């Protein structure tokens, strides 16, 4: 029996027509002046690892976790673009694109090249991943961007024009001026800014701004920057068109039921007008896509074709296939004046209780591993340059790839699932292993003087110790009793000479250290703390699957002096005369009341055993004398299960539920070590926090080493451990606004007399919540997911068989108090040293050999008379696969940061490459994919509202004279060069066979 | 910190290669003799409506209900087939394919034609839908199959070779012999057979059989028939590859992690060997797909490419792209002897408590509507032929399409969602409306004798009354008091003369009926029962949105006599003399004890008012004298919520939970109507069951009209209403096995003296659960979903504004008791009359007109001297769009069914087409897509195990002599012809202008 439809249909006669009804949609529309232009940007956001690993996302495996396959996206996008030349698509993440590209036949590659050159397929952002902006080091951001950009340049001859940081959880000014303007981007777009900020900007039509991210560069490194009205998805109103999405499709076949062209056109116009209402100019952008969409691109393009066709027939607004570049050009052409934005977009909150600041610290061990590998990558590329790059390997490519991927905003951030975190670590380990081999063989060649012979198989076998941080170093834990000598080559990747105390575990105490001249030097033995032994045994077993065969009794410490980009050699042997000095050790019992002082040099710390928290800090040179209190606390992780907003503390979100002091009520036993080179104060703060406070005689900062974990969870509550310093008696003039910030290099506070600086060995979250106080979040262990997608609790464990323990984190931070205005020098210089630790390579020799005579004991890659100026660092020295050399020099200081060093400074390139003839130097964009002059020529000059008012003219280094080859760097300037050497030169110190 | 992977990777050096890694897969493998061949059949199963409407499935709208878009499937399959010429795909449902085809550009159509002609894309099954086999009439199955097949033949020049009934819920022998062998299929495959039967067949390797579905045809209409080991999905072991499916993909890129070629090849081989273990020959078929898959076909083909490549490299088994046709040929080539199967695969149960027999009755109103439209379609095509088909309409195409789709196994089955049921009804209503216009105008032309003038705009306007079943007929409810006459043209679509009582509602009692000669004929007025008034008022308002303006007081009944394929005309006017006879009416009160007899002719029924259930049945001609008991009962629907198996009774599943007699304890008031033409006994059985028992003077069967509903659900329990007849005193020799069967035409039981037959007006479920008893399921209303996918309870309601009521069903069944061996004649002949009710068209004339003189009062489309033999029916007479005529003649009897009529019989074609010159007659396959001789030539001759042993040689009509043009039909034979008329003839009685 017919149902209610009869009402409609018994009264009308409808002849169904069965003729062919092919509709050719008109999708050719471009920008139309005078109309509201809706720029439809077809895009996919493909996380380079998150719930699945990068490879799983690429091939589409492990779909039970998340249905996502990037191979589908790229395969189907190509087909869809070929089907209509007006269609456009942007692709972002080069880690995926490169995987796909390598799988393609030449025929497909040719097609794709044409799509790129016609602009149908446009690379946007163009780094290997869409890096995070909080937990990443700027050198890593540059490297990963350059890696993607140079691939695009090489295979497609194009340079991405737009920054596209649509998903990272807040945004750094560094992204705007450095990874934006200095890369040559015309604009930068992103999806996540604080919800209150967004609301205000919508009201004021200031989502789109001119962002001047750098105080030093001002308008010379500004960029057009747009925050989206909401996330990076299609507008409200039902415009999701993935396979199986349930937005109403535009049904335009009158022979079928549910014809809805008018309805859908109205939906489109409504959404467009709503967005126009919060946007300046008559151009709005719709981000038509979201995470891992376009798995079958036709589903989107079919609908977009129809919308463009029918919306333009309707005529109220103008819809067009567009890209962020086309959109940027349209914005620029509108000749509007835009609001100015300075500073960061941090921290990011998407609702009142959802501050995305937990991830500044989440997975602290991975954060440290990434930082360690970053420094190692810098050093190993230098050595690769010295020995000559081998495209066939071993080379640094694998480490380069792994590091690039690790910068993804769900990698180093700690917001990925555990198995994905493991994947990143695995990739880094593989990359490291290959680079380690390269480093060892290069050092072997260098010590064997066999560079010019194209050293392939040096005799010397060097070992390195990546687990030295947990005192595991089989290479140094050797029996020297039968006349063996341990040879240690110490490589310095900084372009300054460097004097520093290094330490290695040794199994005997009767040892002596000799320098490159064969002179015995002072050394100090420090007993291995019990806390380290446990750490070492468990983690060596957990990571390497074996129990360490030896148990070293001591750390052997001695001072090394290493030339710039070079090495010195030291030997350790059985002491024939005095040998190493054993540290004196005194343990204060918990009931013992006493005061004691540590520090052999200018800096002294005075401790009081009955007042664990306080110590007096005195620098007899700078006359700083301050009281410092240090404590550990934890935040209890919020459990939102029974709350209205259900917001837990988790991998992304920091939502504390009360602050707890650790060990407040009982005395901490102190063990104090004194020696000629350094003093240490050991404290077992509680059963799972161990701390060593270390003062080196020749240094004026305090080094604090901590071992935190496993964080106990027996009470069912997650915890976030902070190191906390309060009651410091400065008058703070510039307190950081009441919230957490990402700390990459360090943090400092100042008053009108002094500044207090803390430097870190990895990214952490931190703050200064009260005047005179700084806190760092060191470790996090949480039992609940925070509902931001990762769908796992941040509860890291490591296992030996069935013995699984919460992750223990070992690390260091450093602090120092300087007279006001004098802290920057330490922060900048020592910051570089933390980033680029000395690289140790170990070998053995028989007693009868005279290593120093038969080998090259010292080496410097730059002219022996030269060193880089104090304010300049060499952040990249790399031989590229075409034999040219990529060099980046960075001025480390902001304008006004240091009275002596914030000045324009010159570097002599000839001195950096002794013995080589520089044929040509091309200054490049930061990502080295175009010449700087070209980039500057194309730079859009945006109008800004009002004026900055200070008449400030940014300073820049001038052009490089091809004869003089001196490079000027103004404050904060980073200059990137490709250097061509004379063909007659050996391209490198070592050449391929 | 690196995690546990370090164990693996610190010890090895792995150089990641970044070279292009394009792999060209070898997919060219064909069948390999001597190996186990795994035939990979890429397919999608696209329900022509189920949870969404056919159009919604096609365009991919309403995805919140189910993610499915057939447009995606076909778009992407074409791309995938083009990408590799070895890839193959089968497509089944032409309702979808045709929608898609009409949307394509010529360029795409050309490509697809090439894919079809190369065999890459093969049409399988090829009807408009995959029809149900239980609730469908065989004529509808033929029509819908032919509609699809002829499209395929016309546009692609191919004929589908394989039946593919993979989803219907059990299988009919009719499918095997008629819609299989007679269509020319070489094989038939399906997924659903009883779970115990399947288990046994797996053990015995008899899933694949030779199915002889017809007793009459025996081996001459057998087919190779394969039941799948499980459903119609990929084998166990993870071989689902839709976008976002989570089967492990075959990862063969050694540069990425999770390489798994060996594992996946092993999975493949394991699954293949397991299936080989239950299959004869070394060929197995894998159905690589399932419902609405291949939305992005590349996801499947990418994996299938890889499996074929690596499995064949492995070599243990042979994998190939195949189709059911290739598989069939391979099976045939194996020259194996196969087990014989006869009879149905009904009923179907997929577990102990899940018998799929509820759907035999589900949605009884739709089932009736489909049947009604089927008969109307047959009649309207005859009239279309008489007037000449107009391709531009009005024509029967829309009704044809709607009916075809309604045969889908989730349409007429009642297993679709309510909104989808509405969609089918809407389509039927639209199709009906157009056909009604065609019928009215053709009849107008015929009565106006304007056929040869190319009648386009006849003066006469005929109205029809599709809601006559609920006594709503505005055309007859007219005021005749001012000299108006009501003209009724009665069309008979059977090829026999027919005498029958018709009835129409009239608003006055002073009327008389005249026949074509102007002679007044006997007529009888029956007062409208109150039960009908309520039904009429509610449903006219619900369906048409208006309250009927009149309230007819009477049914006017009179006997009409109508020639074959022709009409007679009757007029109703105000009575000048005697006029109609009013029925006598007597109502027996509930406490009145009495016996009474009804029946004016040979058949009498004696009722006893105090013993409601029993009546005596006496035929004074055939001397049958039997006691009959009839009652209504209901089954309570099972609620499995708290049971282990959770199996509810629902749209598919019949799971009764107790039997309840209706109205057992109280007397039913009888109202008895007597008159010259018929007697009626009215009973209000209970508040929601009304019944009329009707005996026509000239007929020897009992007609029972019932009005059932709304079924009360206030007690929270669903109910399934059955009409139940028991204690019948036959000794039953052939009880139907203890379960429900689909009843399309009727059901009968017999003992050694008599046979008791019940015929139905639509498909219902029924059974004979005890000797001498027959039950029919009339209506179902259930409150729970039965977990077979439809996700809705079968709880049909209709609303007038907010007044929503459970669906009331009106219908009829008919019964008769004959001496043993004499029942078939009534069942077959009257069965055709039920299927093809007389078609009534109404007009008015003024009293002064002499209609009979100015119009053609009677007409027959065949020679006036001719009628089809009693055992032959014309089941199709249709002008095709090329002007040729499709004719199907059906012998109605099985061998041995009737002593006189189960014989070979001849039909004279010349007499069927009087006045036309037959130029050529081509005998065709049943679906009219190939010549019968070609089909027979290609027929595969299968070997069967043992022999049938009876030496039975099936009888068939011989070839048609081109001069004599006599068609012989053997028992059960259906012969299909395309008839070409002489070009000089007018192709039809009416020609296009």
């Amino acid at each position: 029996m017919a149902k209610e439809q009869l009402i409609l249909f018994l009264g009308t006669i409808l002849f169904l027509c069965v003729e062919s009804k092919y509709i050719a949609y008109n999708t050719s529309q471009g920008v139309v002046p005078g109309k509201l232009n809706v720029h439809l940007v077809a895009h996919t956001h493909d996380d380079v690892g998150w719930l699945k690993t990068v490879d799983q996302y690429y091939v589409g495996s492990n779909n039970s976790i998340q249905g996502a396959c990037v191979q589908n996206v790229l395969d189907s996008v190509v087909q869809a673009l070929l089907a209509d030349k007006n269609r456009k698509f942007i692709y972002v993440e080069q880690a995926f694109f490169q995987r796909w590209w390598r799988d393609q036949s030449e025929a497909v590659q040719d097609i794709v090249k044409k799509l790129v050159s016609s602009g149908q397929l446009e690379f946007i952002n163009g780094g290997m991943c869409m890096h995070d902006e909080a937990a990443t080091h700027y050198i890593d951001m540059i490297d990963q961007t350059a890696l993607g950009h140079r691939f695009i340049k090489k295979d497609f001859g194009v340079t991405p024009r737009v920054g596209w940081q649509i998903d990272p959880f807040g945004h750094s000014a560094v992204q705007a001026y450095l990874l934006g303007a200095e890369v040559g981007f015309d604009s930068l777009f992103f999806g996540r800014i604080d919800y209150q900020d967004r609301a205000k900007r919508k009201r004021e039509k200031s989502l789109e701004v001119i962002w001047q991210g750098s105080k030093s560069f001002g308008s010379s490194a500004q960029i057009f920057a747009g925050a989206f009205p909401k996330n990076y998805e299609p507008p409200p109103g039902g415009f999701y068109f993935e396979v199986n999405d349930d937005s109403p499709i535009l049904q335009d076949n009158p022979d079928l039921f549910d014809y809805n062209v008018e309805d859908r056109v109205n939906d489109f116009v409504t959404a467009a007008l709503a967005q126009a209402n919060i946007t300046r100019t008559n151009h709005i952008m719709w981000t038509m896509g979201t995470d891992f969409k376009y798995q079958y691109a036709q589903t989107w393009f079919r609908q977009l074709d129809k919308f463009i066709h029918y919306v333009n027939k309707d005529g109220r607004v103008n819809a067009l296939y567009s890209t962020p570049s086309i959109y940027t050009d349209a914005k620029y052409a509108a000749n509007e004046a835009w609001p100015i934005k300075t500073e960061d977009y941090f921290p990011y909150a998407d609702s009142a209780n959802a501050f995305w600041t937990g991830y500044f610290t989440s997975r602290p061990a991975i954060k440290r591993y990434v930082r360690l590998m970053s420094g190692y990558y810098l050093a190993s590329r230098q050595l690769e340059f010295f020995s000559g790059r081998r495209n066939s390997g071993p080379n640094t490519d694998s480490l380069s790839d792994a590091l690039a991927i690790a910068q993804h905003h769900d990698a180093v951030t700690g917001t990925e699932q555990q198995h994905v975190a493991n994947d990143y670590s695995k990739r880094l380990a593989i990359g490291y292993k290959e680079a380690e081999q390269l480093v060892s063989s290069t050092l072997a060649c260098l010590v064997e003087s066999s560079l010019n012979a194209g050293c392939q198989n040096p005799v010397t076998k060097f070992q390195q110790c990546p687990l030295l941080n947990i005192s595991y170093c089989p290479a140094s834990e050797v029996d020297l009793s039968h006349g063996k000598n341990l040879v240690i080559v110490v490589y310095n990747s900084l372009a300054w000479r460097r004097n520093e105390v290094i330490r290695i575990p040794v199994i005997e105490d009767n040892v002596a250290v000799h320098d490159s001249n064969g002179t015995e030097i002072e050394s100090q033995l420090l007993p291995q703390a019990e806390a380290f032994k446990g750490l070492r045994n468990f983690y060596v077993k957990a990571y390497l699957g074996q129990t360490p065969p030896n148990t070293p009794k001591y750390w052997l410490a001695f001072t090394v002096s290493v030339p710039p980009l070079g090495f010195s050699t030291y030997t350790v042997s059985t002491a024939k005369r005095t040998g190493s000095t054993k540290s004196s050790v005194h343990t204060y019992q918990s009931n013992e009341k006493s005061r004691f002082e540590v520090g052999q040099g200018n800096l002294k710390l005075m401790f009081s055993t009955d007042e664990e928290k306080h110590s007096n800090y005195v620098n007899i040179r700078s006359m700083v004398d301050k009281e410092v209190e240090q404590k550990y606390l934890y935040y209890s992780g919020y459990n939102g299960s029974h709350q209205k907003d259900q917001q837990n503390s988790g991998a992304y979100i920091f939502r504390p539920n009360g602050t707890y002091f650790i060990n407040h009520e009982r005395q901490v036993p102190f063990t104090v070590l004194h020696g000629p080179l350094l003093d240490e104060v050991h404290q077992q703060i509680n059963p799972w926090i161990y701390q060593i406070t270390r003062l080196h005689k020749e240094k004026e900062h305090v080094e604090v080493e901590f071992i935190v974990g496993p964080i106990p969870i027996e009470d069912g509550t997650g915890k976030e451990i902070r190191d906390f310093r309060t009651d410091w008696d400065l008058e703070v003039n510039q307190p950081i606004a009441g919230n957490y910030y990402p700390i990459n290099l360090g943090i400092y506070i100042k008053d009108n007399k002094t500044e207090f600086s803390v430097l870190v060995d990895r990214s952490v979250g931190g703050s200064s919540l009260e005047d005179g106080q700084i806190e760092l979040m060191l470790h996090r262990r949480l039992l609940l997911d925070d509902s931001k997608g990762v769908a796992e609790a941040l509860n890291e464990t490591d296992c030996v068989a069935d013995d699984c323990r919460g992750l223990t984190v070992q690390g260091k931070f450093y602090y120092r108090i300087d007279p006001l205005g004098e802290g920057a020098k330490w922060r900048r210089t020592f910051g570089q040293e933390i980033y680029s630790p000395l690289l140790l390579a170990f070998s053995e020799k028989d007693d009868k050999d005279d290593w120093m005579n038969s080998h090259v004991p010292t080496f410097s890659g730059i002219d022996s008379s030269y060193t880089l100026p104090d304010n300049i660092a060499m952040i990249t020295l790399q031989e590229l696969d075409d034999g040219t050399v990529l060099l980046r020099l960075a001025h480390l200081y902001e304008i006004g940061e240091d009275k002596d060093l914030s000045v324009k400074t010159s570097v002599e390139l000839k001195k950096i490459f002794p013995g080589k003839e520089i044929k040509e130097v091309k200054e490049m964009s930061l990502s080295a994919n175009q010449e700087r002059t070209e980039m500057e020529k194309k730079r859009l000059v945006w109008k800004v509202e009002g004026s900055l008012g200070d008449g400030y003219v940014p300073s820049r280094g001038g052009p490089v004279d091809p004869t003089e080859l001196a490079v000027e760097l103004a404050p904060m300037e980073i200059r990137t060069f490709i250097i061509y050497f004379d063909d007659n030169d050996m391209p490198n110190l070592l050449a391929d066979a």
Side-chain angles (χ1 to χ4, degrees), chain A residues 374-395:
Chain A
S374 179
Y376 194 83
Y377 176 51
L378 185 147
S380 58
R381 276 180 294 173
Q382 294 173 354
L383 288 159
E384 185 174 34
F385 164 66
F386 295 149
S387 65
R389 175 185 159 83
R390 292 187 178 94
N391 285 336
S392 61
N395 58 38

Side-chain angles (χ1 to χ4, degrees), chain A residues 19-80:
Chain A
E19 301 301 302
S20 182
K21 284 286 181 179
Y22 172 67
I23 301 172
Y25 298 105
N26 179 4
T27 56
S28 62
Q29 196 84 318
V31 162
V32 172
K35 269 196 178 176
L36 177 62
N37 289 277
V38 184
H39 293 253
L40 299 174
V41 174
H43 82 108
T44 181
H45 173 67
D46 299 343
D47 289 301
V48 180
W50 180 36
L51 310 184
K52 309 203 296 192
T53 69
V54 55
D55 285 351
Q56 290 166 356
Y57 276 128
Y58 172 63
V59 301
S61 60
N62 226 347
N63 272 350
S64 60
I65 294 181
Q66 185 185 11
C69 174
V70 175
Q71 196 176 10
N72 284 349
V73 174
L74 288 163
D75 279 355
S76 70
V77 160
V78 169
Q79 294 285 355

Side-chain angles (χ1 to χ4, degrees), chain A residues 149-408:
Chain A
H149 279 196
R150 288 186 51 79
F151 163 81
I152 292 170
K153 181 71 176 185
K154 178 160 170 271
D155 280 28
F156 297 94
V158 297
T159 54
R161 290 186 53 198
V162 174
W164 190 252
Q165 293 286 111
I166 61 176
D167 193 25
F169 325 134
H171 300 279
S172 160
V174 168
Q175 184 65 31
Y177 85 85
L178 193 62
L179 280 306
E182 293 294 295
V183 160
F185 285 162
D186 292 322
S187 56
L188 168 62
F189 296 94
F190 40 85
R192 297 186 186 272
I193 65 171
D194 180 83
Y195 71 107
Q196 295 184 60
D197 190 15
R198 173 150 24 215
K200 182 163 174 287
R201 290 179 180 277
K202 285 163 80 169
R203 286 195 302 275
E204 296 171 356
K205 293 193 178 182
S206 63
L207 286 168
E208 294 176 324
V209 299
I210 300 302
W211 191 357
Q212 295 185 355
S214 164
K215 189 177 137 196
S216 298
F217 292 148
S219 62
S220 80
Q222 70 188 17
I223 192 165
F224 179 83
F228 299 139
K230 177 174 183 272
N231 225 310
Y232 47 86
E233 309 200 333
F239 300 97
Y240 290 78
F241 300 113
E242 191 69 359
V243 171
N244 296 344
D245 267 352
D246 61 3
S247 287
I249 60 105
L250 194 158
Q251 209 294 69
D252 60 340
N253 185 341
D255 293 345
L256 306 182
F257 292 148
D258 311 330
Y259 180 91
N260 65 359
V261 172
E262 289 74 17
D263 287 352
R264 294 265 57 204
V265 166
N266 285 339
D267 293 342
F268 189 102
V269 172
T270 302
L273 295 178
Q275 188 167 338
N277 206 30
I278 56 165
T279 310
R280 302 186 188 199
T281 79
N282 61 2
H283 295 277
I284 61 173
M285 171 158 55
W286 282 9
T287 46
M288 298 306 292
T290 177
D291 296 4
F292 297 101
K293 298 305 177 191
Y294 291 74
Q295 285 200 71
Y296 178 34
Q298 173 66 4
T299 59
W300 289 85
F301 282 112
R302 183 192 290 132
Q303 297 301 318
L304 294 177
D305 284 355
K306 292 183 183 190
F307 274 108
I308 291 172
H309 181 83
Y310 291 107
V311 165
N312 292 342
K313 264 185 146 176
D314 173 87
R316 282 175 285 171
V317 305
N318 181 54
L320 65 153
Y321 277 121
S322 185
T323 68
S325 305
I326 294 170
Y327 179 75
T328 301
D329 289 340
K331 287 295 204 190
Y332 186 70
N335 202 25
E336 187 89 5
W338 301 93
I340 280 281
K341 155 80 184 173
T342 58
E343 308 293 338
D344 294 334
Y345 284 98
F346 277 123
Y348 165 62
D350 59 352
S351 68
N353 294 315
F355 277 85
W356 296 49
T357 55
Y359 86 90
F360 299 156
T361 296
S362 296
R363 300 195 186 278
I366 282 204
K367 284 184 164 66
R368 172 62 185 152
Y369 193 41
V370 169
R371 181 64 57 86
L372 198 65
M373 290 298 103
S374 179
Y376 194 83
Y377 176 51
L378 185 147
S380 58
R381 276 180 294 173
Q382 294 173 354
L383 288 159
E384 185 174 34
F385 164 66
F386 295 149
S387 65
R389 175 185 159 83
R390 292 187 178 94
N391 285 336
S392 61
N395 58 38
T396 54
D397 293 355
S398 173
L399 182 55
S400 168
D401 263 333
L403 261 174
I405 288 171
Q407 309 312 316
H408 169 59

Side-chain angles (χ1 to χ4, degrees), chain A residues 568-603:
Chain A
S568 298
T569 307
Y570 295 85
T571 57
V572 180
S573 56
T574 306
K576 297 193 174 76
R577 283 173 295 175
T578 50
S580 287
T581 308
K582 286 188 191 166
S583 308
S584 73
V585 179
H586 181 80
T587 297
Y588 295 86
Q589 296 312 306
S590 54
N591 57 354
E592 189 175 348
K593 298 199 179 185
S594 181
R595 285 178 61 82
F596 60 88
E597 179 187 284
V598 293
Q600 312 285 322
N602 291 336
L603 178 62

